[in-house]
Amino acid sequence: MLKVGVLGAGHLGKIHLRLLNQSSKYELVGFYDPFEENAIKIANEFGYKKFDSIAALIEAVDVIDIVTPTLSHYDCALEAIKAGKHVFLEKPISNTVAEAEEIITLAKKHNVKGQVGHVERFNPAFIAVKDQIQNPMFIETHRLAEFNPRGTDVPVVLDLMIHDIDAILSVVKSKVKSINASGVAVISDSPDIANARIEFENGCVANITSSRISMKNMRKSRFFQKDAYISVDYLDKICEVVKMKDAPEIPGDFDMILQNAEGVKKQIYFNNPQVNPNNAILDELETFADAINNNTTPIVTLEDGTEALRVAYQIIESMERK
């Protein structure tokens, strides 16, 4: 079991503490939170050991789980990495791309592993279909959330859209060619609703919409590729795969057949894989433990997190130009 410590005991930090405490792959040593009143309350309520400094916690563990506000990710990561500790960083990886690149460089220098908390990669609906997403040419995503003051200190692109940016980059094996985006600040100082159109060098186009001022929650992606349509509902954890193949010469009574203008007939069939329920946050933490113990590449690397952040800032820059 790897000894782990958590930096930050806010809303998400408490979830990480609970799951790490349950995990068979980690020994939860304790946590550090700069807000003394909150730290004492959590230590008393749940029995987790409270550390009085970041340095003391880092010294006591093998792995540091950084669940602090994004602005402090860089400083926390550098301190942990320089001490030779593996780091799990909640998304986004850091506040700037330059900081993220320095984290990568330092992790290589000190031979430690890092993973970024892009949790939708571990969503059971996405896991169930990701192997069937082959060379998608058009992607459409909607991530809509009811208003919550928590998170409004950053643009909606860094708060919500970055989840979909990472998922898209993980299945489109091509470089970004161009980005065109627009956003509106409705009740915050930064955009609350944003839309981005990303064109890739291979011709794929992704149209991404994110909002944190919606009347209902929605987290859906649709992938279109040659002879297939794949939808993923991250919220309800369901997926749908609709495929086409050449129609049989003598169709069955219940076969669905389409014929195009050229007379080519295709049979439509449904191939919906089984979605296996999981706890995505626990899975991302435990697969990181596996990567450390087996000396393998983490599922969401520091480079992945950096690339998602790079594209997110390109989207923000496109919005600001308008």
Side-chain angles (χ1 to χ4, degrees), residues 261-312:
E262 288 75 36
V264 177
K265 292 182 180 180
K266 294 277 187 176
Q267 179 185 350
I268 297 174
Y269 66 103
F270 296 87
N271 175 25
N272 295 353
Q274 183 178 342
V275 177
N276 298 314
N278 72 338
N279 185 309
I281 297 176
L282 180 62
D283 275 10
E284 68 177 355
L285 291 166
E286 291 198 332
T287 59
F288 185 46
D290 292 339
I292 294 167
N293 287 325
N294 301 326
N295 194 26
T296 54
T297 303
I299 290 175
V300 185
T301 63
L302 297 174
E303 288 82 0
D304 291 340
T306 301
E307 202 52 40
L309 186 66
R310 193 189 316 278
V311 172

Side-chain angles (χ1 to χ4, degrees), residues 44-63:
N44 290 341
E45 189 174 345
F46 300 103
Y48 309 134
K49 183 178 178 182
K50 177 181 80 71
F51 281 73
D52 294 327
S53 70
I54 294 175
L57 180 61
I58 288 172
E59 191 179 340
V61 300
D62 307 307
V63 182

